[in-house]
Amino acid sequence: MKITVIGTGYVGLVSGTCLAEVGNDVLCLDVDPAKIKILEDGGMPIFEPGLQEMVRRNVAAGRLHFTTDVARAAHFGTIMFIAVGTPPGEDGSADMQYVISAARSIGKHMTDYKVVVDKSTVPVGTADAVRAAIHDELAQRQISIPFSVVSNPEFLKEGAAIDDFMKPDRIVVGCDDEQAALNMRALYAPFQRNHDRLIVMDIRSAELTKYAANAMLATRISFMNELANLAEKLGADIENVRRGIGSDPRIGYDFLYAGAGYGGSCFPKDVKALIKTAAVDAGIDLKVLTAVEAANDAQKHVLGSKIKAHFGDNLAGKHFALWGLSFKANTDDMREATSREVIKDLITAGATVTAYDPVAMAEAKHCFPNEPKLSYAESQTAALDDADALVIVTEWKEFRSPDFTTLKAKLKTPLIFDGRNLYDPKLVRELGFKYMAIGR
């Protein structure tokens, strides 16, 4: 199949590359010439494990191409994926200007039947707006060309996006005509050879499914974080509670880990957008999700509060080592990352910080330009120099089993504030550390 993917961010680049991997001829369009130049030179504008190698392999095989030429992209694919950003607006709603612009570009240049696929996370009703934009462009050209609009939300986890695409647990397709459904079944056939994972439904249900999934996962996280805060006050251990409730098959263990709050490009944005959609389009106040968002915003400041409770509100003269900047492991994404709030809390209170992250330090320098109280170390051990305490914010694997003897020798005081509950409290305390985790 010939496929066009509009947008080369996490979703677009991973989707296009994985589709090329199974033999499709894929053209990825981006209006940012710098990003396309990086890709054409064999570089990578984002960090995603395994992606660079897969991109290079498929470019070499002649199945994956990149362009800034909108007309070429519109003519190329029978299936046209829209995978552009939908950043939150000032009111929390999803900004749809890039999606509609992509749809108009398709309508302006298309010459034959297209299946236009909304891959971006978009509010309910977006397919109608995309269809209207294409119709409008065709009307201006005074021609009639058949096309279908499909909702095919992505369920990719940053850090595991390739596996999620190549081995999906479900493929949601929202469409209202049989021809589009047949095209989508053919497209995804290589990814579901052992059993059918494709779920076909109406378009609006597919659009809502993506928001509902992320909102449910965010709810589990905030629920456990609130329970962790309660467990601390009651003298309970949230890890024991997690194992106790996770063993119930109706609940399960996934997304039950307490921590310092969720971040990234999806959960915060999608929770906000769903709350806004419900209020504006349906007149409904989503009380549970409003509480989920408020709980998460507060949780990002728990580490800062613990540190100030120990050292006092004035942290002038104090220096902290911080392990982890990205919002989660295996990505360099710092959008809505807890580390941003922790660093702000410490610096605002007068402290200095030396941070280390395996891949996100370049991104951090964009987030904190010219910040004199924030420096970066070349290794997690180097970050410990002259630090009054260690603050752990991201659950990178290399942080899970450090040399505690070296750690204790490097720190001015053997003190760890762990926002991801990486260590056994009993073991660490027996080694002579004061250990402050979440709910433990």
Side-chain angles (χ1 to χ4, degrees):
M1 283 188 176
K2 285 197 167 186
I3 300 164
T4 293
V5 179
I6 303 174
T8 58
Y10 277 98
V11 175
L13 188 55
V14 170
S15 299
T17 304
C18 290
L19 289 166
E21 179 76 1
V22 297
N24 294 294
D25 195 5
V26 179
L27 178 63
C28 292
L29 167 73
D30 204 292
V31 296
D32 183 352
K35 188 181 287 188
I36 294 300
K37 180 70 163 56
I38 291 170
L39 289 164
E40 289 179 333
D41 290 344
M44 192 59 43
I46 59 174
F47 176 81
E48 181 63 35
L51 183 58
Q52 185 168 38
E53 296 80 5
M54 187 179 281
V55 168
R56 289 176 175 175
R57 181 167 65 247
N58 283 280
V59 168
R63 294 188 298 265
L64 182 61
H65 322 272
F66 304 101
T67 187
T68 58
D69 187 335
V70 175
R72 177 190 172 198
H75 292 146
F76 185 84
T78 298
I79 297 180
M80 311 269 310
F81 281 95
I82 297 177
V84 296
T86 54
E90 291 184 6
D91 63 354
S93 61
D95 185 345
M96 300 304 299
Q97 62 173 312
Y98 305 112
V99 171
I100 300 305
S101 176
R104 289 195 172 279
S105 296
I106 295 169
K108 184 179 291 185
H109 297 287
M110 62 186 285
T111 55
D112 56 4
Y113 173 75
K114 304 291 182 185
V115 179
V116 180
V117 182
D118 287 333
K119 196 68 174 172
S120 303
T121 301
V122 293
V124 176
T126 296
D128 295 337
V130 167
R131 184 180 286 108
I134 297 173
H135 271 307
D136 183 56
E137 292 294 331
L138 292 174
Q140 291 184 45
R141 295 167 61 192
Q142 297 183 331
I143 57 175
S144 178
I145 301 173
F147 67 93
S148 302
V149 177
V150 170
S151 174
N152 174 217
E154 55 85 14
F155 298 100
L156 307 178
K157 299 185 295 293
E158 290 185 36
I162 290 175
D163 278 349
D164 286 345
F165 198 100
M166 300 299 289
K167 303 171 185 177
D169 46 23
R170 80 283 206 197
I171 303 164
V172 173
V173 172
C175 62
D176 53 15
D177 69 83
E178 189 59 30
Q179 185 175 0
L182 289 172
N183 274 279
M184 297 304 287
R185 284 193 179 279
L187 177 70
Y188 281 114
F191 302 97
Q192 47 175 347
R193 290 177 63 83
N194 62 344
H195 70 272
D196 188 6
R197 297 180 176 87
L198 195 136
I199 306 169
V200 179
M201 60 184 71
D202 64 278
I203 292 176
R204 286 184 170 242
S205 294
E207 291 171 333
L208 183 57
T209 295
K210 169 62 177 179
Y211 277 117
N214 280 353
M216 173 61 80
L217 296 174
T219 299
R220 286 172 70 99
I221 293 170
S222 281
F223 175 75
M224 286 305 291
N225 285 339
E226 290 221 302
L227 274 188
N229 297 337
L230 176 62
E232 280 190 22
K233 299 292 186 183
L234 299 179
D237 186 336
I238 194 62
E239 178 61 16
N240 290 334
V241 176
R242 182 190 70 81
R243 290 188 290 114
I245 65 175
S247 60
D248 185 331
R250 297 171 300 174
I251 298 172
Y253 291 103
D254 292 340
F255 285 83
L256 289 187
Y257 290 92
Y262 61 76
S265 63
C266 294
F267 288 6
K269 173 176 70 70
D270 293 351
V271 169
K272 284 183 174 70
L274 190 52
I275 291 170
K276 189 68 177 179
T277 295
V280 174
D281 296 345
I284 295 175
D285 178 15
L286 296 182
K287 296 179 177 62
V288 171
L289 284 187
T290 300
V292 166
E293 182 180 38
N296 189 62
D297 290 344
Q299 196 69 16
K300 290 182 178 182
H301 298 281
V302 164
L303 278 176
S305 296
K306 285 178 178 288
I307 292 167
K308 285 187 279 189
H310 180 82
F311 288 103
D313 289 340
N314 185 355
L315 297 177
K318 297 299 179 184
H319 180 68
F320 296 94
L322 187 139
W323 284 1
L325 292 162
S326 56
F327 85 93
K328 61 182 282 189
N330 298 319
T331 180
D332 62 349
D333 194 343
M334 285 188 62
R335 285 174 286 185
E336 303 276 352
T338 295
S339 65
R340 300 173 71 149
E341 301 306 318
V342 174
I343 290 169
K344 288 176 189 174
D345 287 348
L346 296 179
I347 289 175
T348 300
T352 55
V353 177
T354 296
Y356 170 75
D357 188 284
V359 301
M361 290 193 289
E363 183 62 26
K365 291 172 185 177
H366 292 299
C367 298
F368 294 96
N370 305 314
E371 176 48 69
K373 292 185 176 181
L374 175 62
S375 59
Y376 303 92
E378 294 184 357
S379 70
Q380 64 194 76
T381 302
L384 301 170
D385 290 343
D386 297 318
D388 291 283
L390 169 63
V391 184
I392 301 173
V393 187
T394 311
E395 66 280 17
W396 284 95
K397 285 183 179 179
E398 63 192 75
F399 301 158
R400 293 182 183 178
S401 185
D403 182 339
F404 285 106
T405 302
T406 299
L407 202 160
K408 190 174 181 182
K410 284 269 192 180
L411 291 172
K412 288 182 180 178
T413 54
L415 175 58
I416 301 173
F417 295 91
D418 184 356
R420 298 301 169 190
N421 290 352
L422 295 186
Y423 311 132
D424 181 336
K426 182 179 179 182
L427 172 64
V428 176
R429 288 164 185 155
E430 285 178 351
L431 292 172
F433 288 88
K434 185 162 189 180
Y435 181 63
M436 299 185 183
I438 308 293
R440 307 199 74 185

